[in-house]
């Protein structure tokens, strides 16, 4: 899944923090407290069998392999046992009446007898209570084990729920689903029937699977030809249902589970949901679509909703004759039903995980092409189907490329790409039925820019790569999500570099890696392969670390192994695990078979996937000798707080000068805290992390930085554009923790007046903007203005050369947009005059705007209220989603607080602006110093509505 549709308009993916430190009550009644997450508790008290509340299991199957660890099960339940205490009882009737003021004197015999009795009593107590686990024989005391009995949760009907874990048992597995669904777009409800053929191991007492929000469920099971009606037990905290099986020995290895139910189409973007849009007649129309990743297939049909439970699927969809239905597989038959509805039947799918199942019922149109026997189609609502041609062409090119590169032909008969009018994710890789935002699939000539084309191609490449990485080979559990998303992200950039070199994907990948490093330097980061269990934890790992860091470490490995070897490794991995699931170790084991463990890829890469953060490599040059050392880098006030015990296997690449020939660049694997490299001669400068292919930053020390800065000033072209961007990134990051003086960073930036490449200029603007924004938000407006003026002065020679046209390559157009945006934001008179002039010609004469500078023209024009109103009217009429996003940024740039407030409300409540664009609106408004306070207050005030949506 592509979780952000536009890297120029991203919000942090994680908006919800879990409360992990809630106080645990003494007794948790799961029937009365259905919202308690049983995974939260870590402290479980046990009492001996004789003194605690016993809730017995439902039969001998409770002792199977999935339930033998009682302590683990009790922890998952998060329940404390009752603390029992005996109350004091008054027993006044046993006291003798004693005359007031007199004390009876006991006899000697009485004292002796009492002492003897006390000794006997103490001995008995010692045997009974202090050695309760002993059985005395001739051989002595033998301990007896008393197994803990499971505490089962309570189902919604008050009965015991026969499963105690948040993960499903593995003694029953699905072989095939036969699913019939009827989404009624008039009532906004859907009904369903599912038959699941199951494989059975042992003699289970219950069938347990996932279900969420499905109502009026009826169930039966066919065992050995006999149908048994079943009672459905529901346990909402685990989103599970269970059916206790007949109390007869299971003599078969398969059975058929049948369930019927109904539910409502969701008003969110998750599960089986409904979407409204304006049709060609300007009327409201509806469609139904699915988004199941990661845990929402259970909201459409009862299923084993974990990635490892792969199965085949046969789907049938009921619909009215005005709609069409599409799913993962080709349609093989349509039947007209007695009630006038039509029933579409689809071919049986390949084995896949439940989160990849997809269904769309709509009035969409499509265009189709044949690609080596595969039918490739692009779907859109009727009035936008003319914008689908570029996506079809790009998809055909990329499908051929991936089939050839992976040496495994795309296994399905068809591939559909669907532009959904309203969708939260940037796109979703459902096998054979890919869904996209309209901005990431539709391209309109003379309206969309080359940057829009780049974005569309990247997202298509990402989702197509998933057809192999994620669909054909799937991670076993969500802790290894990076195997899906990291590979798909890496392959999206690789594919563009291979088949669309003019789209300049390398610069975008470099920028993404810099952004990931920024987040990965925080204390709150996590390893890319990390333990997750709860739905909230799973949702949180769909972040830049799983996507970008995952891709970055793969690129680093590619650079170290060489492209040819890395290619053989990933082909081997796909062949070894196709149609199955695996863990990270499966990838490394396949790679080691190719490399013959030289290098040992598994040993090396575990340091990158199982540890949070990344290393800071410090370089000290002493003549020809170079001392390199590593420590974890943390962006903290105390920069030495990195964990010195954390070590990576760092594949260092380096180059130095003056030098000519192949010996000027080399590599070195840093395995320990510190090591030494010997160069052939003493260099005047030394640069590590060539082209920033490594996932680490480098500190060269005062002398090393001085040498690099001098070389940049004398001849910056000695370094590649990626290397120059890398130096800018590293020195600013180091200055943020006090390792390099800030004055030194601006000394390095002085070379920018000669820079003409997009990557280093974009990185410099980003770093200076961070400083400027921080100063402005702390009310240091004078210093913030000085920082802006400095970068503007350095780039003025390049700004003055820019024309307000669409001439040039993608890189040249990106640079033009970046520099003119800087100039107009700086209120440069020439820039704002040209932008206003173009806006007026567009408004009054209908003159088309150059696509590369549209956003700038909209932003400048929207500062005037009358132009803002015109811009909004054009936004409402536009059929190009790419253009609407640019207009939205312009609308969000106004200085009018009331209009800013209205924009946020309109995008959250829908109607005027789609709710899918709400995060983008907040992002645009927050970029301005006055706007970020308004945005923050709005988010706080509407937090419940935002999280619900």
């Amino acid at each position: 899944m592509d979780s952000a549709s536009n890297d120029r308009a991203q919000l942090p993916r994680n908006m919800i923090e879990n409360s992990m430190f809630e106080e645990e009550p003494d007794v948790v009644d799961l029937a009365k407290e259905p919202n308690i997450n049983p995974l939260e508790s870590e402290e479980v008290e046990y009492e001996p069998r004789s003194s605690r509340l016993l809730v017995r299991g439902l039969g001998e199957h409770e002792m199977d392999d999935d339930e033998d660890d009682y302590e683990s099960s009790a922890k998952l339940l998060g329940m404390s046992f009752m603390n029992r205490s005996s109350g004091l009882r008054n027993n006044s009737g046993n006291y003798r009446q004693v005359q007031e003021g007199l004390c009876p004197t006991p006899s000697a015999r009485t004292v002796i007898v009492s002492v003897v009795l006390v000794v006997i009593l103490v001995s008995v107590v010692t045997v009974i209570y202090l050695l309760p686990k002993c059985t005395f024989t001739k051989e002595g005391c033998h301990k007896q084990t008393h197994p803990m009995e499971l505490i089962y949760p309570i189902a919604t009907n008050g009965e015991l729920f026969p499963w105690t874990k948040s993960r499903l048992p593995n003694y029953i597995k699905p072989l095939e689903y036969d699913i019939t669904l009827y989404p009624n777009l008039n009532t906004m409800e859907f009904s369903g029937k599912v038959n699941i053929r199951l494989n059975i191991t042992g003699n289970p007492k219950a069938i347990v699977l996932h279900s969420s929000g499905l109502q009026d469920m009826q169930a039966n099971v066919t065992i050995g030809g006999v149908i048994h009606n079943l009672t459905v037990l529901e346990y909402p905290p685990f989103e599970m249902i269970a059916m206790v099986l007949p109390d007869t020995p299971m003599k078969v290895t398969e059975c058929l589970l049948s369930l019927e139910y109904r539910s409502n189409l969701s008003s969110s973007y998750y599960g089986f949901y409904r979407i409204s849009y304006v049709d060609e007649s300007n009327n409201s129309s509806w469609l139904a679509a699915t988004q199941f990743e990661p845990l929402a297939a259970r909201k459409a049909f009862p299923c084993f909703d974990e990635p490892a439970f792969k199965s085949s699927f046969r789907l049938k969809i009921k619909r009215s004759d005005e709609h069409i239905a599409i799913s993962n597989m080709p349609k093989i038959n349509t039947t007209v039903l007695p009630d006038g509805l039509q029933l579409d039947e689809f071919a049986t799918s390949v084995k896949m995980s439940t989160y990849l199942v997809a269904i769309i019922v709509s009035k969409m149109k499509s265009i189709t092409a044949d690609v080596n026997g595969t039918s490739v189609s692009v779907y859109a609502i009727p009035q936008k189907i003319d914008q689908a041609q570029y996506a079809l062409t790009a998809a055909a090119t990329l499908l051929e490329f991936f089939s050839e590169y992976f040496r495994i032909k795309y296994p399905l008969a068809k591939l559909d790409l669907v532009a959904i009018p309203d969708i939260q994710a940037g796109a979703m890789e459902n096998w054979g039925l890919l869904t996209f935002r309209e901005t990431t699939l539709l391209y309109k000539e003379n309206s969309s820019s080359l940057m829009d084309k780049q974005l569309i191609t990247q997202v298509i490449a990402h989702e197509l790569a998933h057809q192999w990485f994620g669909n054909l080979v799937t991670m076993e559990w969500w802790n290894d999500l990076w195997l899906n998303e990291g590979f798909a992200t890496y392959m999206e950039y690789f594919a563009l570099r291979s088949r669309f070199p003019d789209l300049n994907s390398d610069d975008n990948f470099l920028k993404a890696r810099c952004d990931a490093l920024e987040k990965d330097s925080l204390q709150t980061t996590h390893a890319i392969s990390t333990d997750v269990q709860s739905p909230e934890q799973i949702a949180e790992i769909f972040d830049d670390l799983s996507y970008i860091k995952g891709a970055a470490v793969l690129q680093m490995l590619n650079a170290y192994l060489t492209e040819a070897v890395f290619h053989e490794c990933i082909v081997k991995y796909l062949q070894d695990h196709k149609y199955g699931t695996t863990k990270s170790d499966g990838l490394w084991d396949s790679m080691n078979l190719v490399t013959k463990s030289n290098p040992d890829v598994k040993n090396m890469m575990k340091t990158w996937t199982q540890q949070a953060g990344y290393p800071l490599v410090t370089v000290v040059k002493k003549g020809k000798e170079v001392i390199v050392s590593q420590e974890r880098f943390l962006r903290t006030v105390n920069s030495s707080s990195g964990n010195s015990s954390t070590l990576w296997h760092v594949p260092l690449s380096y180059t130095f000068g003056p030098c000519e020939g192949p010996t000027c660049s080399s590599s070195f694997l840093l395995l320990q805290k510190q090591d030494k490299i010997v160069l052939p001669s003493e260099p005047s400068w030394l640069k590590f992390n060539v082209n920033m292919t490594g996932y680490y930053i480098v500190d060269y020390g005062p002398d090393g930085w001085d040498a690099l800065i001098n070389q940049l000033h004398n001849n910056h072209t000695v370094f590649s554009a990626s290397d120059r961007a890398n130096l800018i990134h590293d020195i600013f990051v180091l200055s943020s923790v006090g390792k390099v003086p800030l004055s030194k960073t601006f000394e390095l930036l002085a070379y920018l007046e000669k820079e003409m490449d997009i990557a280093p200029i974009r990185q410099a603007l980003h770093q200076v903007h961070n400083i400027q924004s921080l100063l402005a938000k702390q009310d240091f407006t004078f210093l913030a203005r000085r920082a802006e003026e400095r970068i503007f002065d350095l780039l003025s020679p390049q700004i003055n050369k820019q024309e307000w046209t669409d001439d040039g390559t993608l890189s040249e157009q990106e640079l033009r947009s970046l520099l003119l945006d800087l100039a107009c934001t700086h209120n440069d008179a020439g820039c704002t005059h040209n932008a206003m002039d173009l806006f007026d010609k567009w408004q009054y004469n209908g003159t088309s705007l150059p696509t590369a500078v549209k956003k700038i023209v909209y932003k400048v024009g929207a500062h005037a209220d009358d132009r803002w109103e015109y811009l909004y009217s054009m936004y409402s009429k536009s059929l190009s989603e790419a253009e609407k996003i640019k207009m939205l940024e312009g609308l969000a740039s106004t200085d009018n607080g009331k209009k800013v407030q209205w924009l946020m409300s309109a995008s959250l409540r829908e109607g005027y602006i789609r709710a899918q664009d709400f995060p983008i609106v907040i992002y645009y408004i927050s970029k301005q110093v006055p706007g970020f306070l308004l945005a923050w207050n709005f988010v706080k005030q509407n937090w419940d509505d935002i999280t619900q949506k």
Side-chain angles (χ1 to χ4, degrees):
M1 180 169 66
D2 193 271
S3 59
S5 64
N6 192 333
D7 66 351
R8 293 178 288 276
Q10 288 187 17
L11 281 180
R13 291 179 171 90
N14 304 324
M15 295 184 68
I16 305 173
E17 296 182 359
N18 296 321
S19 174
M20 302 299 292
F21 302 100
E22 294 181 2
E23 183 178 356
E24 184 188 46
D26 289 334
V27 179
V28 178
D29 185 341
L30 293 177
K32 295 179 181 178
E33 298 290 342
N35 294 323
I36 291 176
N37 185 345
L39 300 173
E40 298 288 326
S41 175
E42 291 295 338
E43 298 182 3
V44 179
E45 300 177 7
Y46 303 103
E47 294 188 13
R49 178 183 179 127
S50 59
S51 65
R52 66 177 176 84
L53 176 65
L54 298 181
V55 180
R56 299 190 180 277
L58 298 181
E60 62 185 6
H61 190 71
E62 69 186 21
M63 294 296 292
D64 70 11
D65 291 341
D66 289 295
E67 298 181 356
D68 57 356
D69 188 350
Y70 292 139
E71 181 175 349
S72 173
S73 299
K75 284 186 177 181
L76 283 171
L77 276 171
M79 296 189 295
S80 295
F81 298 117
M82 286 186 176
N83 296 319
R84 284 168 168 72
S85 59
S86 57
L88 297 176
R89 294 179 176 86
N90 292 325
N91 197 0
S92 59
N94 293 330
Y95 288 98
R96 295 174 57 191
Q97 297 295 323
V98 180
Q99 185 177 351
E100 186 176 358
L102 298 178
C103 294
T105 304
S107 65
R109 180 181 178 183
T110 302
V111 171
I112 293 170
V113 171
S114 299
V115 169
V116 172
L117 289 174
V118 168
V119 170
I120 293 172
L121 182 61
V122 168
S123 300
V124 172
V125 169
T126 300
V127 172
I128 295 176
Y129 290 94
L130 299 185
L131 296 173
K133 296 182 181 179
C134 287
T135 299
F136 287 94
T137 66
K138 292 180 180 180
E139 289 78 18
C141 171
H142 292 273
K143 290 187 176 181
Q144 293 181 342
T145 58
H146 294 277
M148 292 290 295
E149 295 198 19
L150 288 172
I151 303 299
Y152 285 90
I154 306 300
T156 52
N157 66 353
E159 297 183 28
L160 294 180
F161 190 82
W163 187 244
T164 64
K165 300 181 181 181
S166 63
R167 298 275 295 276
L168 292 174
N170 61 13
Y171 52 76
I172 295 181
K173 296 180 180 179
L175 299 175
E176 183 180 73
Y177 293 81
D178 188 337
I179 304 168
T180 302
L181 291 171
Y182 171 39
N184 189 325
L185 290 171
N186 293 318
T187 64
M188 299 303 163
E189 296 179 335
F190 71 93
S191 57
K193 179 178 181 180
V194 57
N195 297 317
I196 312 175
R197 188 161 58 89
L198 301 172
N199 175 264
I200 304 167
T201 303
N203 191 26
K205 299 302 179 185
I207 299 173
V208 183
L209 67 163
H210 288 112
S211 174
S212 177
L214 305 180
Q215 305 159 18
D216 299 337
M217 194 172 294
Q218 304 294 319
N220 64 67
V221 64
T222 303
I223 304 173
V226 179
I227 299 176
H228 304 270
N229 292 323
L230 302 176
T231 298
V232 179
L233 304 175
E234 184 178 2
Y235 187 54
F238 286 174
E239 296 187 334
M240 288 181 184
I241 57 172
M243 290 134 286
V244 178
L245 292 170
D247 191 17
T248 57
M250 188 73 70
K251 297 180 180 180
V252 296
T253 59
E254 288 189 12
C255 68
L256 183 69
L257 176 66
S258 299
L259 304 107
E260 293 189 40
Y261 56 93
R262 67 172 186 85
S263 188
N264 297 317
L265 291 170
S266 174
S267 59
S268 72
Y269 298 108
Y270 201 40
F272 201 2
Y273 67 100
R274 64 182 192 264
I275 302 165
S276 68
Y277 63 93
V278 178
D279 63 17
E280 292 173 296
S281 303
N282 207 33
N283 296 320
S284 180
S285 190
W286 291 88
L287 65 83
T290 57
Q291 170 62 45
F292 288 161
E293 188 178 31
L295 306 173
R298 64 193 69 175
K299 296 178 182 293
F301 57 94
C303 57
F304 295 77
D305 202 9
E306 295 178 8
F309 289 105
K310 283 195 168 185
S311 179
S312 58
F313 295 82
R314 287 191 297 158
L315 278 93
K316 303 181 186 71
I317 308 297
K318 291 182 184 179
R319 58 173 176 85
S320 65
D321 59 1
E322 63 178 339
H323 293 105
I324 63 166
I326 51 178
S327 187
N328 304 82
M329 303 300 291
K331 183 171 65 175
I332 57 175
N333 188 45
T334 298
T335 304
V336 179
L337 301 175
D339 57 5
L341 295 175
Q342 298 189 6
L343 180 68
D344 291 332
E345 183 177 354
F346 298 88
T348 302
S349 76
V350 294
K351 284 182 64 178
M352 62 184 185
S353 302
T354 50
Y355 76 88
L356 295 171
V357 175
I359 302 152
I360 297 174
V361 177
S362 71
K363 299 177 183 177
M364 289 185 173
K365 303 294 184 182
S366 66
I367 59 173
T368 304
D370 182 88
V371 181
N372 298 327
T374 300
S375 177
V376 180
S377 301
V378 178
Y379 286 80
I381 59 176
Q383 62 266 40
K384 296 184 180 180
I385 193 63
D386 62 330
Q387 303 176 37
Q389 184 58 52
Y390 175 74
L392 183 63
T393 303
T397 301
L398 289 163
L399 185 63
E400 287 182 324
F401 170 75
F402 285 132
S403 294
E404 176 185 334
Y405 186 79
F406 296 140
R407 300 176 195 163
I408 299 175
K409 188 179 185 298
Y410 174 73
L412 305 190
K414 64 98 174 174
L415 175 69
D416 296 337
L417 297 84
V418 184
I420 304 289
D422 205 1
I423 179 174
Q424 185 177 25
M428 177 62 204
E429 67 268 18
N430 317 296
W431 212 345
L433 180 54
L434 284 60
T435 54
F436 299 78
R437 284 192 178 194
E438 291 180 334
T439 52
T440 59
L441 192 66
L442 303 182
Y443 181 84
K444 187 175 183 178
E445 294 291 342
N446 301 319
S447 178
S448 302
S449 67
L450 283 180
M451 287 79 86
D452 297 324
K453 180 179 284 188
Q454 178 193 59
L455 173 65
I456 290 167
T457 314
Q458 278 185 211
V459 177
I460 293 174
H462 183 100
E463 304 311 324
L464 278 181
H466 269 309
Q467 306 305 293
W468 288 264
F469 289 100
N471 299 6
L472 186 68
V473 179
T474 311
M475 78 267 148
E476 188 173 296
W477 180 245
W478 299 105
N479 61 301
D480 279 325
L481 174 68
W482 83 274
L483 286 176
N484 286 18
E485 299 301 349
F487 257 114
T489 303
Y490 171 78
M491 290 308 305
E492 93 182 47
Y493 292 110
F494 180 80
L496 262 66
R497 184 166 70 248
S498 302
R499 286 292 183 269
F500 299 89
D502 56 315
L503 293 183
N504 197 32
S505 66
D506 285 345
D507 286 345
N508 267 10
F509 192 19
L510 186 142
K511 177 183 179 296
R513 298 198 304 275
C514 290
D515 292 343
L517 285 166
E518 187 172 333
K519 295 173 184 177
D520 204 17
S521 65
L522 302 176
Q523 291 274 16
T524 51
T525 189
H526 62 82
I528 57 176
S529 184
T530 186
D531 180 55
V532 292
Q533 295 294 336
S534 72
E536 292 81 9
Q537 291 170 337
I538 292 169
E540 285 175 352
I541 62 168
F542 284 82
D543 61 6
D544 276 0
L545 301 181
S546 296
Y547 285 71
I548 308 301
K549 182 178 180 178
V553 298
L554 290 172
Q555 186 197 37
M556 179 172 64
L557 183 59
N558 181 323
Y560 184 65
L561 296 179
T562 72
E563 166 59 35
V565 174
F566 184 79
H567 183 197
E568 294 301 321
C569 286
I570 61 176
V571 168
K572 175 66 173 170
Y573 167 70
L574 290 173
Q575 290 286 356
D576 287 348
H577 300 285
K578 59 185 178 183
Y579 298 108
T581 60
T582 189
K583 302 177 182 179
S584 292
D585 280 353
L587 170 63
W588 310 136
D589 290 339
S590 294
M591 288 189 163
N592 270 347
L593 290 174
V594 175
T595 66
K596 297 180 172 57
S597 297
N598 184 25
D600 187 338
V601 177
K602 185 174 185 177
N603 194 33
M604 171 185 173
M605 295 309 294
K606 276 189 172 183
T607 68
W608 294 96
T609 59
Q610 295 182 1
Q611 296 182 146
Y614 59 88
L616 162 63
V617 175
T618 301
V619 176
V620 178
K621 183 170 67 73
K622 298 178 180 179
K624 294 192 298 182
E625 293 186 352
V626 180
I627 308 300
V628 289
S629 60
Q630 61 165 302
E631 62 179 309
R632 180 179 175 183
F633 178 77
L634 285 172
R635 192 186 289 263
T636 60
V637 175
N638 180 9
S639 58
S640 63
S641 61
N643 186 351
S644 59
S645 66
T646 304
L647 294 178
W648 289 262
H649 291 187
V650 189
L652 300 174
S653 59
Y654 59 90
T655 184
F656 57 91
C659 181
E660 294 182 1
T663 60
C664 299
S665 297
S666 190
S667 62
F668 180 83
L669 186 61
L670 179 60
L671 300 174
Q672 53 202 31
K673 174 73 174 176
Q674 182 175 299
D675 212 331
K676 180 173 66 175
I677 301 172
V678 179
L679 302 177
S681 60
E682 182 178 355
S684 61
W685 55 264
L686 179 64
K687 165 72 173 65
F688 276 77
N689 201 2
V690 177
N691 291 322
M692 203 180 171
T693 55
Y695 193 76
Y696 56 90
I697 63 173
V698 185
D699 185 4
Y700 299 92
D703 294 339
W705 280 114
D706 285 341
L708 290 166
I709 290 170
N710 288 336
Q711 183 59 51
L712 283 170
H713 290 171
N714 293 331
N715 181 12
H716 66 283
T717 60
V718 167
F719 306 107
S720 68
S722 296
D723 276 332
R724 300 195 296 271
N726 178 214
L727 288 171
I728 292 169
H729 171 269
D730 284 6
I731 198 169
F732 268 93
V733 169
L734 291 167
S735 72
S736 71
V737 295
K739 286 185 174 291
V740 176
L742 189 58
S743 59
K744 186 70 68 177
T745 65
F746 279 92
E747 184 182 342
L748 184 148
L749 285 189
Y751 97 93
L752 281 180
E753 58 189 3
K754 298 178 289 186
E755 183 62 79
M756 290 303 299
D757 278 284
I758 178 71
I761 290 178
R762 179 159 55 189
Q763 186 59 218
L765 288 174
H766 172 73
Q767 297 294 345
V768 173
H769 179 265
N770 283 346
I771 296 172
Q772 176 195 349
S773 178
L774 181 64
L775 290 169
K777 290 173 182 178
Q778 297 297 324
D779 205 26
F780 294 108
T781 52
F782 174 73
L783 291 176
R785 187 69 178 173
R786 286 285 301 276
E788 180 184 312
E789 288 174 353
R790 178 58 179 155
I791 195 71
F792 176 78
D793 290 342
L794 286 172
L795 294 173
S796 288
Q798 294 92 316
I799 291 172
N800 294 332
K801 296 177 183 177
Q802 302 307 313
E803 301 290 337
W804 295 73
T805 68
D806 279 334
D807 296 339
T809 64
L810 172 63
S811 292
E812 290 169 340
Q813 289 190 29
E814 278 190 298
L815 182 61
R816 178 178 305 133
S817 177
L818 201 64
L819 292 174
L820 291 178
D821 195 20
L822 169 66
C824 286
T825 302
H826 188 64
N827 291 321
D828 176 71
C831 183
T832 55
H833 172 77
N834 288 332
M836 285 288 196
D837 184 55
L838 286 172
F839 192 101
D840 289 342
K841 289 179 179 177
W842 171 62
Q843 179 176 358
Y844 297 113
N845 302 332
T847 305
S848 296
L849 296 173
T851 59
V853 297
K854 272 186 178 182
K855 177 183 71 173
I856 304 160
V857 173
Y858 295 152
K859 287 171 66 175
V860 173
H863 283 284
D865 285 351
D866 59 331
R867 292 187 177 97
W868 191 96
E869 296 293 346
Y870 178 75
L871 182 60
Y872 175 71
S873 70
M874 296 304 292
Y875 170 88
S876 303
K877 299 173 185 175
S878 177
L879 291 178
S880 168
E881 289 300 314
E883 184 165 27
K884 292 180 78 167
I885 289 295
K886 298 179 183 70
M887 291 178 172
L888 206 53
E889 183 168 4
L891 293 169
S893 301
T894 178
D895 296 326
N896 188 316
K898 289 184 178 180
K899 294 187 183 300
V900 168
Q901 198 74 24
W902 181 87
L903 268 180
M904 293 187 288
S905 296
S907 59
L908 180 60
R909 315 297 177 210
E910 289 200 67
Y912 301 102
I913 300 170
R914 289 202 173 275
Q916 69 173 18
D917 294 329
F918 171 75
I920 297 174
V921 171
I922 295 295
Y923 170 75
Y924 288 150
I925 292 172
S926 299
K927 288 171 69 174
Q928 306 174 76
V929 173
F932 89 97
L933 285 175
L934 288 174
W936 175 229
N937 287 332
F938 184 88
V939 168
K940 287 189 293 184
Q941 292 165 7
N942 295 275
W943 185 251
D944 290 341
D945 290 343
I946 293 169
T947 54
Q948 182 181 3
K949 191 64 181 176

